[in-house]
Amino acid sequence: LGIAYFRIHRFAEAEAEFREILELQPVEHYAHFALGRCLEKQGKAAEAVGHYRMASFFRPQSEEYRRALEALEAA
């Protein structure tokens, strides 16, 4: 559901869905990444960086996560 909300640019609703996932599974790397994207789209860059870092920590082999983190940190 979070992905669907994200795709139709309902970022606040997507954020809520990914937060729910993380309450149940705090180590879910994709939920951290997706939540970071939602937050970034809403102008919450500082909070997004934290979730990108968590996604990268839990899945260090992901180039997508690393690139997202680097791009936001450089901005």
Side-chain angles (χ1 to χ4, degrees), residues 12-68:
E13 289 95 334
E15 175 187 346
E17 293 296 325
F18 291 117
R19 287 190 188 277
E20 282 188 39
I21 292 168
L22 290 171
E23 284 183 31
L24 299 172
Q25 294 182 313
V27 298
E28 174 51 51
H29 62 90
Y30 185 79
H32 278 289
F33 174 70
L35 178 54
R37 291 190 67 203
C38 294
L39 294 166
E40 185 176 1
K41 294 288 188 181
Q42 295 177 83
K44 302 174 184 176
E47 190 176 357
V49 165
H51 286 285
Y52 286 157
R53 284 183 182 146
M54 293 297 288
S56 292
F57 176 79
F58 290 123
R59 190 167 177 89
Q61 68 270 31
S62 174
E63 290 295 316
E64 182 178 18
Y65 297 173
R66 184 188 53 75
R67 282 192 306 269

